[in-house]
Amino acid sequence: MGSITPPGRAQPRLFRLRQARRRPVLAAVLVAAFLATFLIDWAVTLPAFSATSAPATSQACTVSPDNGCIQGTITDSERKPAEGVDVDVTGPSGFDETATTNNEGRWSVSVDTAGEYTVSVDQGTLPKGQYLTNAADAERKVQATLNANVGQIFQLSDQQGVTTSTDSSSVSPQRAWQQFASGLRLGLLIALASIGLSLIYGTTGLSSFSHGEQVTLGGLLAYVFANQLGWNIWVTGIVVTLLCAATGYLQDAAIWRPLRRRRISLTQLMIVTIGLSIAAQYAFQYFFGASTVRIQQGNPDTIRFAGVTLTVQSYVAMGIALVVLVATGLFLAKTRFGRATRAVSDNPALAAASGIDVDRVIRFVWTLAAGLAGLSGVMLGLVLNGVNWQTGLQLLLLMFASVTLGGLGTAYGALVGSMIIGVVVELTNLVLPGDFKYATALVILILILLFRPQGIFGRAERIG
C-alpha cells in the first residue's frame, strides 16, 4: 500500500502553493497601480505640456458688490461648444473688452459700471462651416447691473441665412433626420460600453455601477496621450484600449475573484461597485480637475452626407464602433471561447459541470468589458469634443436602460437596446431642451420594468 500523507501536512503545503500563485498577481497589481499613478501625475504636471495646451481664454467672472458679469455660451449646429470665438463687449465710459470662448463654449466679461452694454460676436472667428442662426443677432443690447449676472446664448447653424425661429425651435423633417443620425451615432458608442456591462451581468449576476468610470478613464487617458504627450490619435486609441482592458483584468484578479471565492452576496458586491465608482470619480477630479478637457484641440471639420452634417470624427467613430461590434458578435458566436462565454452567461453551474473554467471566462469578460468601455470613452471624447470626470456617470443611466431594454445578460440585446435608446434620446431633443432628453431613458427603463422586465431578447423566468 502506498503511503498516505497526513492531512495536517497536506493542508499547509496546499496553502503555501495557493499563496505562491497569488504573489505574482498581487505584485502585478501593485506595480501597475504605481506606474499608472506616476504616469498620470507626471503627464498632468509636466511644464512642457503648456506648449500643446489650448490657447488661453477669458477667466471666469465672479460677481461682487463692486462688479457684475456679462457671460454666455456659444454652441454649434450639433449643440457642441464652439471654442475660440471672440465676443466684444462695449459700454459706458469707453468700456471695450473682448472675451474668447473656452473649450466649453463659455465666455465672460467683468464690468464695474451699471448700464447698457453692447455684445457683439466676431463672425470671422466662428468655426469653419458654422454661421449665426440670424446674422442680425450678432449684436445685442444688454442691461448690466453690479452684483448680478447677465446671460447671453448664441446658437450657430451649418446653413447660412437661417433664423432661430425656423431652425432651432421648430420641428422639421430636416431637423428630425439630423437628430436621427445623431441618435444612431450615440447608440453605436453606448453599445460599445453596454455590451461589456451586459456580459458582466450575464456571467456574474453583478450590476456594475463603476462601469461608467471605465468610459471616463478611456477618455481621460486619450487626453493625456493625444493632447498632452502629442501621440498619434490612432496609436492613442489602441494603447488606451489595451490599458483599460488591463484595468479590467487587474480588477477581477485583485477584487472580484477573491470576493467571489468568499461567497460575498451580489448586494454587497454591488455596493462595492458603487464605492469604486465614487472613488474613481474623485480620483479623476483630483488629477484632471472639474473642467472639460479636449482630446484634440483643433476645431473639427464637418461633412454633409445624405442631408446630414456630422464631424469627421463622428463618421470615423461610427465606423470603428460598427467594426468592433461586429467583430465582438462574431467572436461570441463563432469561436470556442465565445461559446464558452455564452454558456457561462446562460448557466454558470451547468457550464462548470461541463468542464468550462468559469473563473477564466469571467476574467476574460471583465477584461473585454473594460477594453470596450475604454474605447467607447475615446470615441465619445472625440465626438462630444471633450470629456470630464463625470462623463461616464452621465451615460450610466443610458447604459442600464439599454441592457434592460435588450435583455439583461445578452450581448445582442445590449446592441439593439443601445441603438433604440440612442435614437429615442436624440429625437426627444426635438421637443425637450438640453440634457432633459436623458430623462427619456429613465421613462423607458420604468416602462420596460412594468411591461416586459426580461427585455426584448431576455427570457421570462419564475422567481420563488
Side-chain angles (χ1 to χ4, degrees):
M1 294 180 63
S3 61
I4 300 177
T5 304
R9 296 182 181 177
Q11 291 178 357
R13 182 180 180 184
L14 180 59
F15 178 77
R16 289 194 299 270
L17 288 174
R18 289 178 178 174
Q19 289 293 96
R21 291 174 182 174
R22 291 177 183 173
R23 287 170 187 165
V25 174
L26 293 176
V29 172
L30 293 174
V31 171
F34 172 77
L35 290 177
T37 303
F38 174 77
L39 177 61
I40 293 175
D41 190 48
W42 172 74
V44 173
T45 58
L46 189 64
F49 289 163
S50 58
T52 59
S53 59
T57 57
S58 58
Q59 298 295 322
C61 176
T62 303
V63 298
S64 71
D66 298 324
N67 76 285
C69 296
I70 302 175
Q71 58 189 3
T73 58
I74 301 179
T75 55
D76 63 16
S77 58
E78 296 184 3
R79 309 266 179 183
K80 297 178 183 177
E83 183 182 7
V85 179
D86 291 338
V87 179
D88 187 56
V89 180
T90 58
S93 304
F95 182 90
D96 189 350
E97 186 170 337
T98 300
T100 304
T101 56
N102 60 15
N103 57 8
E104 295 179 347
R106 299 182 182 274
W107 59 272
S108 62
V109 171
S110 177
V111 297
D112 55 10
T113 304
E116 185 179 74
Y117 290 80
T118 301
V119 179
S120 305
V121 176
D122 184 354
Q123 299 185 62
T125 61
L126 295 178
K128 181 180 179 182
Q130 296 291 313
Y131 312 92
L132 284 170
T133 53
N134 187 355
D137 197 37
E139 184 174 298
R140 300 178 182 177
K141 301 290 185 180
V142 299
Q143 194 70 31
T145 58
L146 302 183
N147 202 25
N149 284 311
V150 178
Q152 294 293 312
I153 299 176
F154 294 92
Q155 175 65 44
L156 306 182
S157 171
D158 57 358
Q159 298 180 16
Q160 191 170 14
V162 298
T163 62
T164 305
S165 60
T166 60
D167 184 71
S168 297
S169 60
S170 62
V171 178
S172 64
Q174 169 60 34
R175 190 169 171 224
W177 179 240
Q178 176 72 40
Q179 293 300 116
F180 178 79
S182 298
L184 291 178
R185 177 187 63 187
L186 178 62
L188 285 171
L189 299 183
I190 292 176
L192 283 175
S194 297
I195 285 181
L197 183 64
S198 185
L199 287 175
I200 290 174
Y201 178 86
T203 53
T204 66
L206 175 63
S207 297
S208 176
F209 282 83
S210 61
H211 197 66
E213 277 54 59
Q214 292 290 153
V215 177
T216 306
L217 178 63
L220 292 178
L221 286 179
Y223 160 74
V224 171
F225 292 127
N227 187 319
Q228 302 296 293
L229 298 179
W231 287 19
N232 177 274
I233 189 61
W234 294 99
V235 176
T236 295
I238 295 173
V239 172
V240 168
T241 302
L242 293 177
L243 285 176
C244 289
T247 64
Y249 180 94
L250 294 175
Q251 276 186 61
D252 185 66
I255 302 175
W256 308 119
R257 186 168 182 264
L259 292 179
R260 286 197 307 271
R261 292 207 159 190
R262 286 165 174 78
R263 300 188 180 276
I264 303 298
S265 70
L266 290 176
T267 302
Q268 293 170 306
L269 291 176
M270 186 174 65
I271 293 173
V272 173
T273 67
I274 295 173
L276 186 60
S277 171
I278 296 173
Q281 289 174 38
Y282 286 107
F284 296 148
Q285 190 179 26
Y286 173 78
F287 285 111
F288 298 94
S291 62
T292 299
V293 296
R294 296 180 62 179
I295 298 175
Q296 291 183 321
Q297 290 296 333
N299 291 322
D301 294 326
T302 59
I303 296 178
R304 189 170 182 84
F305 176 75
V308 174
T309 301
L310 295 175
T311 62
V312 175
Q313 287 90 334
S314 295
Y315 286 111
V316 174
M318 292 170 69
I320 293 175
L322 189 61
V323 170
V324 173
L325 290 171
V326 170
T328 302
L330 291 175
F331 172 81
L332 293 174
K334 301 297 183 181
T335 66
R336 182 178 179 182
F337 204 89
R339 290 191 291 269
T341 302
R342 289 160 50 207
V344 173
S345 181
D346 289 338
N347 193 322
L350 182 59
S354 302
I356 296 175
D357 189 342
V358 175
D359 277 336
R360 184 185 176 197
V361 169
I362 293 176
R363 179 74 53 82
F364 168 77
V365 166
W366 276 101
T367 305
L368 176 65
L372 291 177
L375 178 61
S376 176
V378 178
M379 299 294 102
L380 283 166
L382 292 171
V383 169
L384 300 179
N385 208 22
V387 61
N388 60 45
W389 65 288
Q390 285 187 318
T391 297
L393 178 64
Q394 294 168 349
L395 296 174
L396 189 62
L397 175 61
L398 301 183
M399 289 189 281
F400 273 120
S402 300
V403 298
T404 305
L405 174 61
L408 287 170
T410 61
Y412 303 112
L415 172 59
V416 174
S418 297
M419 299 304 299
I420 295 174
I421 291 294
V423 170
V424 171
V425 164
E426 289 295 338
L427 288 179
T428 304
N429 200 33
L430 294 171
V431 293
L432 290 180
D435 290 340
F436 276 105
K437 62 184 181 180
Y438 293 119
T440 310
L442 178 61
V443 175
I444 294 175
L445 181 60
I446 294 173
L447 293 176
I448 297 166
L449 296 176
L450 285 175
F451 297 104
R452 190 177 173 82
Q454 72 270 25
I456 298 175
F457 294 98
R459 299 190 304 269
E461 297 181 359
R462 182 184 296 275
I463 299 177

